Amino acid sequence: MRIEKHPILVFEKGPKVRFYFDGKEMEGYAGEPVAAALHAAGVRVLSHSQIHNRPRGFWCAIGNCSSCNMRINGVPNVRSCVEPLKEGMIVETQKGKGDLNA
Ligand code: FES
């Protein structure tokens, strides 16, 4: 689900792009946050907590927490709520602290 109309905000959309989430091809709009594209596609779990492995999704949605950390193009701990979506991105659910050698 996407917010298409808002009384005070304007959501400009870029062209449709393809990206890959945990190996599955998905679509979103260039420039929108990766987490927003995933949310629109029904994905709610973006990472898992470091100690108890509990599912994490959107929390602050402004880049101030670590709830949405994901592995994007092989780089762990990317805040997906503020990372612009680009064609061909490889996005993976992150577990734990995000190992550079995973
Ligand atoms: S949801 Fe808090 S940094 Fe992304």
Side-chain angles (χ1 to χ4, degrees):
M1 180 173 121
R2 281 191 169 82
I3 298 172
E4 300 288 340
K5 289 184 179 178
H6 191 278
I8 58 172
L9 299 174
V10 176
F11 299 105
E12 294 181 14
K13 285 184 185 169
K16 263 195 178 172
V17 294
R18 289 174 299 122
F19 67 102
Y20 300 89
F21 170 65
D22 287 346
K24 182 179 171 192
E25 186 174 311
M26 304 188 107
E27 281 187 341
Y29 293 97
E32 72 177 343
V34 169
L38 289 170
H39 213 264
V43 175
R44 302 292 186 262
V45 177
L46 307 175
S47 66
H48 291 82
S49 64
Q50 294 180 12
I51 296 172
H52 298 293
N53 200 34
R54 293 178 179 143
R56 297 285 184 246
F58 263 131
W59 180 249
C60 72
I62 57 172
N64 283 342
C65 70
S66 58
S67 187
C68 68
N69 278 359
M70 301 188 84
R71 186 177 185 85
I72 298 182
N73 292 335
V75 178
N77 297 318
V78 177
R79 292 169 295 161
S80 61
C81 70
V82 292
E83 182 69 17
L85 184 67
K86 296 178 187 126
E87 175 73 35
M89 270 183 157
I90 297 173
V91 179
E92 298 166 278
T93 305
Q94 181 170 308
K95 293 189 187 302
K97 295 180 180 176
D99 186 359
L100 277 173
N101 299 317

